[in-house]
Amino acid sequence: PGMRETEAGCTARLERQLVAHAKPVIACVPGLAGQGRENQLVASVSLAYNIGTSGFCRSTAARRFNAGQWRAGCDAFLM
């Protein structure tokens, strides 16, 4: 309460947090780092930001991505 932050400061803080979530997401689903998987990676980092990286790594989406079931992994985001 009572803290103030500039828009640039908020943006920088959010970027740091997203990068911090990206590393464990890529560690548990290495295939997300491959070419052509940028959309899945961004969505996965966003999910990890919201449910935690441990939650993401245990998720149906992560399991399906690791199995090479890319469409089914994307569909799992709707669960």
Side-chain angles (χ1 to χ4, degrees), residues 21-38:
H21 284 80
K23 291 178 183 180
V25 164
I26 291 171
C28 71
V29 184
L32 289 171
Q35 291 182 340
R37 300 290 176 210
E38 292 83 14

Side-chain angles (χ1 to χ4, degrees), residues 57-73:
C57 290
R58 291 189 310 266
S59 72
T60 300
R63 283 194 305 276
R64 290 179 180 174
F65 285 158
N66 279 324
Q69 300 170 347
W70 295 100
R71 180 67 201 174

Side-chain angles (χ1 to χ4, degrees), residues 12-60:
R13 183 179 302 167
L14 177 61
E15 287 177 5
R16 284 192 304 272
Q17 291 174 351
L18 291 175
V19 168
H21 284 80
K23 291 178 183 180
V25 164
I26 291 171
C28 71
V29 184
L32 289 171
Q35 291 182 340
R37 300 290 176 210
E38 292 83 14
N39 292 334
Q40 290 91 344
L41 175 59
V42 170
S44 296
V45 170
S46 178
L47 181 60
Y49 179 82
N50 287 293
I51 68 170
T53 54
S54 296
F56 172 78
C57 290
R58 291 189 310 266
S59 72
T60 300

